[in-house]
């Protein structure tokens, strides 16, 4: 928690992203019927995947306006840096490898190893859905939050290409039947507006 607060000081727009991603990850995991050990691994990976952002310049993480492709690539590389930072840390589950695989894609067009389908850890597939959805419905320096309905539409369109259908379906189920819309409605509030 202390480490995450330090990282949050670097970028107020992602200060709460870790906790929110973990919350969404847990909801997806529960809807999928995963066991407690898997859920703990997934939630821990979601919480820690942005540790590498601490090494990024604040001008980049809080830049208003559209990010250039190379800037987006730098921010995405911070996730792999998080995995490297955690490589030697002992967890009950495979947290570092889960983080390393978060940007792999179901269709094999992801990074860093172009893993495809079931070759990607299930934990990484769940975190990828939670991270994408949480990012969409949260305000950023360069854009406002998307509505829950728009984010649902986009996430649904990515199922079977970028994202695994199972966690996408579980997320949509939780939004519709598990109280997700009500629980996550406040994610759209900008951290600067909340101050």
């Amino acid at each position: 928690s202390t480490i995450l607060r330090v990282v949050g000081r670097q970028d107020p727009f992602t200060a709460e992203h870790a906790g929110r991603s973990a919350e969404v990850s847990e909801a997806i995991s529960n809807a999928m019927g995963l066991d407690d050990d898997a859920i703990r691994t997934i939630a821990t990976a979601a919480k820690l995947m942005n540790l590498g952002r601490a090494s990024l310049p604040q001008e980049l993480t809080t830049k208003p306006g559209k990010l250039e492709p190379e800037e987006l690539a730098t921010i995405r590389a911070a996730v792999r840096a998080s995995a490297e930072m955690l490589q030697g840390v002992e967890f009950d589950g495979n947290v570092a490898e889960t983080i390393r695989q978060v940007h792999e894609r179901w269709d094999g067009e992801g990074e860093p190893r172009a893993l495809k389908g079931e070759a990607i850890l299930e934990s990484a597939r769940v975190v990828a859905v939670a991270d994408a959805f949480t990012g969409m419905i949260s305000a950023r320096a360069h854009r406002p939050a998307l509505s829950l309905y728009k984010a649902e539409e986009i996430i649904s369109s990515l199922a079977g290409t970028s994202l695994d259908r199972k966690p996408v379906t579980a997320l949509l189920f939780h939004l519709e039947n598990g109280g997700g819309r009500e629980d996550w409605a406040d994610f759209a509030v900008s951290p600067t507006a909340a101050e």
Side-chain angles (χ1 to χ4, degrees):
S1 295
T2 301
I3 292 168
L4 293 174
R5 279 196 297 275
V6 171
V7 173
R9 285 190 200 123
Q10 180 79 0
D11 178 5
F13 288 92
T14 57
E16 294 180 327
H17 183 79
R20 290 172 171 180
S21 292
E23 183 180 329
V24 173
S25 291
E26 287 185 58
I28 293 170
S29 301
N30 281 313
M32 291 174 67
L34 301 183
D35 65 42
D36 290 344
D37 290 340
I39 293 172
R40 271 193 300 276
T41 296
I42 288 165
T44 302
K47 285 178 187 171
L48 298 176
M49 68 178 284
N50 287 318
L51 286 180
R53 282 181 179 257
S55 64
L56 298 178
Q58 194 168 23
E59 311 82 68
L60 175 60
T61 59
T62 59
K63 178 185 173 182
K66 188 176 178 188
L67 296 173
E68 298 298 325
E70 43 300 341
E71 292 172 324
L72 283 169
T74 299
I75 289 173
R76 289 175 66 84
V79 171
R80 289 192 298 281
S82 301
E84 295 308 316
M85 292 166 66
L86 296 168
Q87 189 58 51
V89 180
E90 197 171 314
F91 293 98
D92 289 335
N94 205 345
V95 171
E97 189 58 29
T98 294
I99 293 170
R100 188 172 288 107
Q101 293 183 20
V102 162
H103 289 152
E104 299 287 358
R105 288 174 45 124
W106 183 254
D107 60 10
E109 298 294 319
E111 54 187 37
R113 297 188 318 223
L115 298 175
K116 183 176 183 177
E118 301 282 338
I120 304 165
L121 291 174
E122 183 174 53
S123 53
R125 290 181 265 141
V126 170
V127 174
V129 171
D131 179 54
F133 178 75
T134 304
M136 288 178 201
I137 64 171
S138 301
R140 293 288 183 258
H142 61 279
R143 60 153 180 82
L146 298 179
S147 72
L148 283 167
Y149 293 100
K150 183 63 178 174
E152 287 176 65
E153 182 184 310
I154 294 170
I155 287 288
S156 294
S157 74
L158 297 174
T161 55
S162 299
L163 303 171
D164 178 3
R165 289 184 192 281
K166 286 185 220 167
V168 169
T169 301
L171 170 65
L172 298 175
F173 177 84
H174 183 74
L175 285 163
E176 186 67 32
N177 303 299
R181 287 197 184 100
E182 296 77 19
D183 293 343
W184 304 329
D186 66 336
F187 284 14
V189 178
S190 167
T192 54
E195 291 173 355

